[in-house]
Amino acid sequence: MMIVRTIVLGGLVSLFLAGCGFHLRGSTPLPIIGQDVYFSSKNPYGELEQIITGSLDSAGVARVEKAADAEVSLIINGT
């Protein structure tokens, strides 16, 4: 009985998401591709920072070590 409930609930959720127009999207091209980017954060090993650096690296964005050498600077000042 529990399996039937799970299947029915999963089906209803799927229908709801399809009905509201939700769909997964591919990666969005970044407007900074081809530019040198300086990225800095107070917590360089945090989860958000790892996601951002991974996204920049996978998009082929060139990161530089100094802000003066960059065309674009991305600085996170929060904790």
Side-chain angles (χ1 to χ4, degrees):
M1 192 65 170
M2 187 64 152
I3 295 173
V4 172
R5 285 185 189 176
T6 304
I7 293 172
V8 169
L9 182 61
L12 289 174
V13 170
S14 297
L15 287 173
F16 172 74
L17 289 176
C20 74
F22 174 81
H23 62 278
L24 296 175
R25 297 182 183 197
S27 61
T28 303
L30 298 173
I32 57 176
I33 291 177
Q35 299 181 356
D36 294 331
V37 175
Y38 172 74
F39 175 65
S40 175
S41 173
K42 289 184 179 181
N43 184 12
Y45 302 107
E47 184 178 353
L48 174 63
E49 289 78 3
Q50 294 297 319
I51 292 170
I52 291 172
T53 56
S55 295
L56 292 174
D57 292 343
S58 68
V61 174
R63 291 190 291 139
V64 295
E65 297 294 320
K66 298 178 184 175
D69 297 336
E71 297 170 305
V72 176
S73 293
L74 176 59
I75 301 170
I76 299 176
N77 288 326
T79 54

